[in-house]
């Protein structure tokens, strides 16, 4: 959890929440409450969040391939802020996902061979 800001551009702070699998994060200066819903290590991750005028759900499907890992993400974002983002920049979710995947790729390629944190 302490390294999340390294993995997610725009994330500046993470705190454990009051429940298991619950977190508070600050993303681009906005507080979000995050709930981890799905977790299959090295295969699938899904989480929901509420904050900054949006409700969201994001899932990651990770599939090993010969050259590394194929990553598929899916996002659902609802609320007034999501609607205004869509009007201002229709490709914002795609750009954000691309940024996250690029950052995760860079970090995985520079990680120690022993898989250390």
């Amino acid at each position: 959890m302490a390294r999340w800001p390294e993995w997610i551009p725009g994330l500046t702070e993470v705190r454990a929440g009051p429940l298991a699998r619950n977190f508070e994060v600050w993303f681009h200066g906005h507080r979000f409450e995050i709930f981890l819903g799905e977790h299959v290590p090295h295969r699938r991750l899904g989480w929901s969040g509420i904050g900054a005028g949006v409700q969201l759900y994001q899932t990651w499907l990770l599939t090993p391939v010969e050259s590394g890992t194929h990553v598929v993400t899916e996002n659902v974002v609802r609320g007034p802020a999501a609607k205004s983002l869509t009007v201002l920049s229709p490709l914002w979710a795609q750009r954000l996902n691309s940024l996250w995947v690029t950052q995760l790729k860079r970090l995985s390629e520079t990680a120690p061979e022993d898989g250390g944190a």
Side-chain angles (χ1 to χ4, degrees), residues 86 89-96:
T86 301
S89 178
L91 300 175
W92 71 270
Q94 290 174 354
R95 288 185 190 128
L96 183 59

Side-chain angles (χ1 to χ4, degrees), residues 35-116:
F35 303 92
L36 182 62
E38 302 176 68
H39 182 230
V40 178
H42 310 290
R43 298 289 182 178
R44 187 171 179 88
L45 177 69
W47 57 274
S48 61
I50 300 170
V54 298
Q55 299 169 339
L56 55 100
Y57 188 81
Q58 182 179 61
T59 188
W60 294 71
L61 177 62
L62 310 169
T63 306
V65 295
E66 188 175 315
S67 61
T69 303
H70 179 74
V71 178
V72 176
T73 63
E74 184 174 10
N75 298 291
V76 177
V77 184
R78 298 172 28 152
K83 290 177 185 174
S84 64
L85 280 173
T86 301
V87 169
L88 294 173
S89 178
L91 300 175
W92 71 270
Q94 290 174 354
R95 288 185 190 128
L96 183 59
N97 278 342
S98 178
L99 187 61
W100 287 5
V101 169
T102 299
Q103 179 72 346
L104 290 172
K105 180 179 186 298
R106 185 187 67 75
L107 289 168
S108 71
E109 291 173 345
T110 59
E113 287 295 320
D114 66 1

